[in-house]
Amino acid sequence: NRKNKLSSFWTVGHFQPRSVLGNKNLIWVATMNNSNSERIRVMGHRGFVGGDALLWDEIGKLQIDFLKSEGLLSRHTLVDIACGSLRAGKLFINYLESGNYLGIDKEIDLIIYGIADELGISTFTEKRPIFVVSADFEFSKFPRRPDYAIAQSLLTHLTAEDIYRCFKALRK
């Protein structure tokens, strides 16, 4: 059951930056925002991000196909900005070499549901994606710089100032 899957790798509470599941998998938690936790639980992780319908898989496939057409190879490192519940993240994680997927989102609940319900714990353990939970574009929390970045459906929700901050932080 989903609750058991979630509790098998995460404990609810306030977090400090730490590794989860030993040194194999990392989830860096920079900020904790529970304001949307209840909405995500009620709406579901797919419904919350918009796409709890037939287009869920198609939109994820469009993202990976686009980046592959732009030269993304399995050996590259990718940062998925506003990775959410891993609509495309599950495809990127499976395609990229182990440890080469970097996901950042401000909603820890989306990442947890994405891992438990979309990706699966065994793939999470095998492929070792790295996540940062932050609303402040803290790309410096990742252990390395990405070769590619994607921000599907994020920029339309940001102010011009926030878009600038995002790109500036990504460039560092």
Side-chain angles (χ1 to χ4, degrees):
N1 100 21
R2 184 160 114 192
K3 185 175 180 181
N4 289 338
K5 284 194 279 185
L6 294 175
S7 63
S8 70
F9 76 98
W10 203 262
T11 304
V12 177
H14 293 283
F15 303 97
Q16 296 298 319
R18 65 185 179 122
S19 73
V20 176
L21 296 176
N23 292 326
K24 293 181 181 176
N25 300 81
L26 295 177
I27 298 179
W28 287 100
V29 180
T31 59
M32 192 68 184
N33 178 0
N34 288 325
S35 63
N36 287 315
S37 294
E38 182 63 15
R39 288 182 56 216
I40 294 166
R41 187 188 66 74
V42 170
M43 297 174 72
H45 64 281
R46 287 184 174 196
F48 183 82
V49 299
D52 195 16
L54 298 175
L55 294 180
W56 179 264
D57 292 325
E58 288 81 358
I59 292 171
K61 186 172 176 348
L62 284 172
Q63 292 175 63
I64 193 168
D65 288 348
F66 170 73
L67 284 186
K68 283 180 172 180
S69 75
E70 294 297 313
L72 180 69
L73 301 173
S74 62
R75 65 179 166 79
H76 289 129
T77 299
L78 167 74
V79 64
D80 188 354
I81 307 166
C83 63
S85 51
L86 307 181
R87 178 196 323 240
K90 67 181 178 183
L91 301 174
F92 289 126
I93 291 166
N94 279 303
Y95 173 70
L96 296 169
E97 292 175 8
S98 183
N100 285 0
Y101 175 87
L102 313 174
I104 187 168
D105 202 282
K106 68 178 187 168
E107 300 291 345
I108 191 170
D109 297 274
L110 289 177
I111 295 171
I112 291 171
Y113 284 122
I115 292 168
D117 293 346
E118 300 295 336
L119 183 63
I121 302 300
S122 62
T123 303
F124 175 74
T125 303
E126 175 190 336
K127 297 297 276 189
R128 300 188 335 261
I130 300 166
F131 295 95
V132 171
V133 178
S134 172
D136 296 320
F137 308 116
E138 294 177 279
F139 302 114
S140 63
K141 301 282 186 192
F142 289 116
R144 64 183 163 284
R145 292 181 50 84
D147 302 303
Y148 285 80
I150 190 164
Q152 174 69 29
S153 297
L154 169 68
L155 302 181
T156 57
H157 299 283
L158 299 178
T159 65
E161 180 180 315
D162 286 337
I163 293 169
Y164 175 79
R165 283 187 326 105
C166 176
F167 289 150
K168 182 178 178 184
L170 188 59
R171 199 173 345 149
K172 287 183 180 180

